Amino acid sequence: MAEVTITPIDNGPYLVRGPVKIIDTDGQVFEVKKETVALCRCGGSTTKPFCDGTHSKIGFAAANRAVKGG
């Protein structure tokens, strides 16, 4: 099976690379036909769960580093 990676972009989306299936809380499956998809993390995209660039218009600021914990 191919590797999947998730990389946060500074103040932008999560870039997901590799074969994935995206399913929302209602069970709706989103077709992922590209090798890399950008997932919204600002909450403002009109194409959720995918990024539409809204983060740059609303000044989204994100924490990009994972918090190490137990």
Side-chain angles (χ1 to χ4, degrees), residues 32-65:
V32 179
K33 297 181 180 182
K34 298 189 248 179
E35 183 178 316
T36 302
V37 293
L39 297 181
C40 176
R41 60 179 183 148
C42 76
S45 175
T46 60
T47 59
K48 285 189 225 44
F50 305 101
C51 175
D52 69 358
T54 296
H55 60 274
S56 62
K57 297 173 189 155
I58 64 172
F60 176 67
N64 292 327
R65 308 302 178 260

Side-chain angles (χ1 to χ4, degrees), residues 20-40:
V20 296
K21 180 176 10 175
I22 299 173
I23 305 170
D24 70 10
T25 57
D26 295 324
Q28 179 181 353
V29 177
F30 292 87
E31 281 289 319
V32 179
K33 297 181 180 182
K34 298 189 248 179
E35 183 178 316
T36 302
V37 293
L39 297 181
C40 176

Side-chain angles (χ1 to χ4, degrees), residues 7-24:
T7 307
I9 300 301
D10 285 341
N11 301 319
Y14 288 116
L15 289 186
V16 181
R17 291 182 179 92
V20 296
K21 180 176 10 175
I22 299 173
I23 305 170
D24 70 10

